[in-house]
Amino acid sequence: MSSPQQGDVGASGPPASPRLSASWRRSEVYGAPHDAVSPAFTGSVDNESLFFDCGRQVLGGLHESLAGEPVSIMLTNADGVVLVRFCAERALVAALDDTYLAPGFAFSEREAGTNGLGLALADRAPSLVRGAEHYCTSLRSYTCAAVPVTDPVNGRLLGSVNLTTWSDKSDALLLPLTQAAAGHTAALMLARGRGAEPRPAPRGEVFRVYTPPGEDAAPNLSEAWVAAARELEAALAAGASVGVVGEAGVGKAALLTEALRRVRGQHRILHVRPPDARGADAWLALWTPELGKPDTSVIAGRVDALPSWAADELAMIVAQRERGSLAVTALDAGAVPAALSRLVDLVVELAPLRHRRQDVLPLTIHFARRMTGRAVHFTPAAAQALNSYDWPGNAEQLRRVVRDAANRASVVDVRHLAPEVLCSTGRVLSRIETVERDEIVRCLAEPGMTVTRAAERLGISRATAYRRVAHYGIRIPD
């Protein structure tokens, strides 16, 4: 089978779909080529991640089920770099190679203009781009369906699954197949990961952030926190728009809330979570009335997770308002959408909790009292365990651990803490490994317990017990 001729695919004007039209406009701004793509070549791909391993397994199975069909199946990372490609039809493989749609090449909108995988990554939504809807004419021989894949636990964008076929072929099942493959990849990652609960799908919720005075006031934290808060307060007092960036769960919204409280007194503060693609219209509709209220401050959380078109619309809404300033959070400054980045005057980076260890115990006491309504005490051993842990999930993880421990006892000891706090493996554990680790930790955390006695209780040899303790990096403070 030969590729269709490019002259047969249709007109070169922008498509009527709002999403596609917005993508074409972005492609023009990026300076994407109209005639022939010349994407960046990375030279290598990350083939050691859980995402790559699970994606390759799922797509390999799909490829086998589509034997004889002229379909190319690809996995990309979050930057649009093709990680792996499955395709059995020689003509399609040769055509894809001619347009560099191959492992190691980046195919985001910046490099290749409007295309399926680039649009899916930009808008974080399932996308289907047919023939003449491609910005670059050299891609108009194809129809491409792509679906973004996010981490099932923390929601971070990992990449996309892309199915590509000839533009003259039926595309009725292309997008459903792609959606199924993306869903199976995320599910397999969850099954092979820590056994954590999947992150709930975002709904664009708006909720009030309120810190009452008195006993529930913010704790006294480190100089790093105080310095960041002061910098934000000075900018907000001058009417500037600000942003806070940092790892997930580090306390970005809490820092902004504290700064806003100090500058704007009893303002009502709303923290707006990013929506999924289907709820973006309703999410945007919330902004116009809220931004116009003189006694309301709004924090746009995780703007790096916004679909590109929604970020552009939000920037237009903010630019047209008469009062107030913009406050945003993101994982890092470079991930803030360009349209919003131009409106932000100051970006402050909040260090992760492992670099602010002096904040761990004050936050521990604060979280425990706020969630139980009573004083909760922590033994020296428990405090040492909490202070020694690296907290990869930052303050959000600490909040969860403290909540569970405080619900078990008014005086929290090591045995009341989550097993994860007492271990450091440096890698993701399987579900079976997690169960084994937790059982060993629970046993060792009992008062007066030794490794020898724990081995007897667990029904394993003393040598095996010591090996498993070392394997999981288990440490029980005295």
Side-chain angles (χ1 to χ4, degrees), residues 79 110 244-246 303-304 330-339 341 347 349:
D79 295 322
R110 290 183 178 275
V244 178
V245 299
V303 294
D304 51 315
L331 290 179
D332 60 76
V336 177
S341 180
V347 175
E349 182 172 5

Side-chain angles (χ1 to χ4, degrees), residues 40 93 114 174 198 203 225 249-250 256 310-311 436-437 453 475:
V93 169
T114 302
L174 208 60
R203 299 189 299 275
W225 176 280
V250 77
L256 272 173
E436 181 183 52
R437 177 205 67 183
R453 290 177 59 193
R475 59 192 187 285

Side-chain angles (χ1 to χ4, degrees), residues 187-375:
L188 184 58
M189 288 182 64
L190 189 65
R192 291 179 54 183
R194 301 172 186 260
E197 292 297 321
R199 174 179 179 268
R203 299 189 299 275
E205 295 171 334
V206 178
F207 62 93
R208 185 175 181 177
V209 180
Y210 176 67
T211 304
E215 292 183 339
D216 199 38
N220 294 322
L221 298 179
S222 63
E223 181 56 35
W225 176 280
V226 172
R230 287 172 179 165
E231 191 174 4
L232 289 170
E233 290 166 24
L236 288 167
S241 292
V242 299
V244 178
V245 299
E247 294 180 4
V250 77
K252 299 183 288 292
L255 180 62
L256 272 173
T257 299
E258 180 177 328
L260 286 165
R261 280 271 176 238
R262 291 182 179 274
V263 174
R264 299 179 184 169
Q266 296 302 311
H267 264 214
R268 181 167 151 269
I269 299 176
L270 301 179
H271 180 196
V272 187
R273 293 175 176 175
D276 63 11
R278 292 168 296 180
D281 287 329
W283 181 85
L284 286 167
L286 295 167
W287 283 86
T288 301
E290 294 298 342
L291 284 174
K293 294 177 181 177
D295 60 346
T296 297
S297 297
V298 185
I299 300 170
R302 284 296 309 273
V303 294
D304 51 315
L306 287 175
S308 294
W309 69 268
D312 293 345
E313 290 291 327
L314 175 58
M316 291 176 59
I317 293 172
V318 172
Q320 293 169 358
R321 76 197 191 289
E322 297 181 356
R323 59 166 65 91
S325 55
L326 179 66
V328 304
T329 71
L331 290 179
D332 60 76
V336 177
L340 290 172
S341 180
R342 288 191 288 269
L343 301 177
V344 176
D345 305 300
L346 171 71
V347 175
V348 171
E349 182 172 5
L350 182 57
L353 194 55
R354 62 183 173 276
H355 297 321
R356 296 185 288 117
R357 291 192 183 275
Q358 59 269 51
D359 287 342
V360 172
L361 294 183
L363 285 173
T364 295
I365 302 301
H366 172 68
F367 289 153
R369 186 175 191 88
R370 190 175 68 180
M371 288 182 286
T372 64
R374 55 180 168 79

Side-chain angles (χ1 to χ4, degrees), residues 194 247-250 351-360 383-398 400-401 418-427 473 475:
R194 301 172 186 260
E247 294 180 4
V250 77
L353 194 55
R354 62 183 173 276
H355 297 321
R356 296 185 288 117
R357 291 192 183 275
Q358 59 269 51
D359 287 342
V360 172
Q384 179 185 342
L386 292 170
N387 215 31
S388 301
Y389 187 56
D390 278 342
W391 300 108
N394 291 295
E396 195 59 43
Q397 183 186 13
L398 175 62
R400 172 176 56 79
V401 168
E420 68 202 66
V421 177
L422 304 173
C423 304
S424 57
T425 62
R427 64 183 180 85
R475 59 192 187 285

